[in-house]
Amino acid sequence: MPSSADRAPTTRVPTIIVQGGAGANPAEAGDYRQGVRDAALAGWRVLADGGAALDALERAVRALEDDPRFNAGRGSVLNRDGAVEVDASIMEGDRLQCGAVAALSRIANPITVARRVLESRRQVLLVGEGALAFARSVGIPECDPASLVTDRQRKRHAELARQPATRGGGTVGAVALDRNGTIAAATSTGGTPGKLPGRVGDSALIGCGTYADSSIGGVSCTGDGEAIMRVVLGHRALRYLKDADDPDYAAKVAVDLLVDEGGGQGGLILIDWRGRVGFATSTRLMPVAMMSPALDEPRVPF
Ligand code: GLY
C-alpha cells in the first residue's frame, strides 16, 4: 500500500459516497432517498469533470445542509434554548490538512467555513463566536438564525420538552476519491436535539467524526457523538480498513466497536485508496448514496 508521501500522481477511478444520518426514521426513507441521491450527483459532477475531492465534498455536503430534511445547516435540530448551533469538519488525506467549526450559529453552510479553516493552514478547529468572526473575515455571509429553523424541528423541540430524549439523527457526510488519488472526507451536523448550548459532538472532531488518509481511505461517521468520541471512531475505522483491506468488513467492525465499547449507536461510510466503498450502521436506517463511473446513476441502497 503506498504512503501518501511517496504517492506519485496517479489516475484513479473517482468515487463518492454520502450519508444522511444513522438516526433517520425508516418511515421517512422515501424523503431521504432523493436528498442523498441529489447530493451524490452534485459531488459526482465535480469529480467527473476532473475536479478535486475537496470540491466534490463541499458541493455534496452543502446540498445536504440546504435540504431541510437533514439535521445539518437548515433543518438542524434545536438546542435546549431553541437555537441552532452546528458542527462541521473536512479533511484531505494527502497532507492530512483539516478544518473544523463547532457550536457555530448564524451560518447556513458550516462545511464551507470548515473548508476555509482548512485552507487557512493556521488552525484546525474554531468554535462559537470565534468561528463566526472567522467566517465573516473570509466573506461568508451570516444568515438570519430563524431561517435555519424548520417547523419540523420547532415541533420536535416542543415535544422534547415534554419527553426528553438524546438521540440525534440526520447528520450528513461524504467521502470522495478523485482522479489524482486524493481522498477527502467531510461531516456536518446540528448535533443532538435539546443539547446544552456549547455542546460539541464528534462531527467537529478530526479522528472522531471525520478522517482521511489518501494512503488508506476516508471516513465520515454519524450517530451518538459522545460514544463516537469515546472510541475515536473515524481513526479506528481507518486502522481496521488498513488491516482488513475490506471496506465493508472494516465498517462493520468499527460499528461493533461503537456499540460494544462506546456504548452508543451509529454508522459510517468509507472509501479505500482503491476506490472501494463500505458502510455499516447499528440503526434501522442510514440513508446512503454513491456514484462512480461504473454506475449510470447514483446507487441508493436502502
Ligand atoms: N453525531 C452527531 C453528534 O452527536 O453531534
Side-chain angles (χ1 to χ4, degrees), residues 102-125:
L104 178 61
S105 300
R106 310 180 73 93
I107 292 288
N109 293 112
I111 200 64
T112 294
V113 188
R115 170 101 190 252
R116 296 289 179 278
V117 175
L118 178 156
E119 287 165 352
S120 77
R121 306 209 184 162
R122 293 190 59 200
Q123 50 267 312
V124 166
L125 172 62

Side-chain angles (χ1 to χ4, degrees), residues 19 22 71 77 85 87 166-172 187-193 195 199-204 209 221-229 265-267:
Q19 53 97 355
N71 175 16
V77 299
E85 275 187 352
D87 299 339
T166 53
R167 191 74 19 100
T171 289
V172 306
T187 311
S188 180
T189 190
T192 50
K195 67 187 182 181
R199 178 265 187 188
V200 174
D202 62 292
S203 305
C221 302
T222 167
D224 296 332
E226 282 68 15
I228 292 171
M229 288 188 269
Q265 304 296 326

Side-chain angles (χ1 to χ4, degrees), residues 134-227:
F134 173 82
R136 280 192 206 111
S137 75
V138 295
I140 295 173
E142 275 178 55
C143 66
D144 176 356
S147 69
L148 302 176
V149 179
T150 57
D151 283 347
R152 180 181 175 195
Q153 295 301 351
R154 209 175 277 117
K155 266 187 220 146
R156 189 177 188 186
H157 186 66
E159 279 160 21
L160 260 182
R162 292 193 293 275
Q163 193 178 357
T166 53
R167 191 74 19 100
T171 289
V172 306
V175 184
L177 167 68
D178 66 28
R179 279 189 193 159
N180 293 325
T182 299
I183 293 184
T187 311
S188 180
T189 190
T192 50
K195 67 187 182 181
L196 283 179
R199 178 265 187 188
V200 174
D202 62 292
S203 305
L205 301 184
I206 296 300
C208 296
T210 302
Y211 203 75
D213 178 334
S214 298
S215 69
I216 303 171
V219 57
S220 169
C221 302
T222 167
D224 296 332
E226 282 68 15

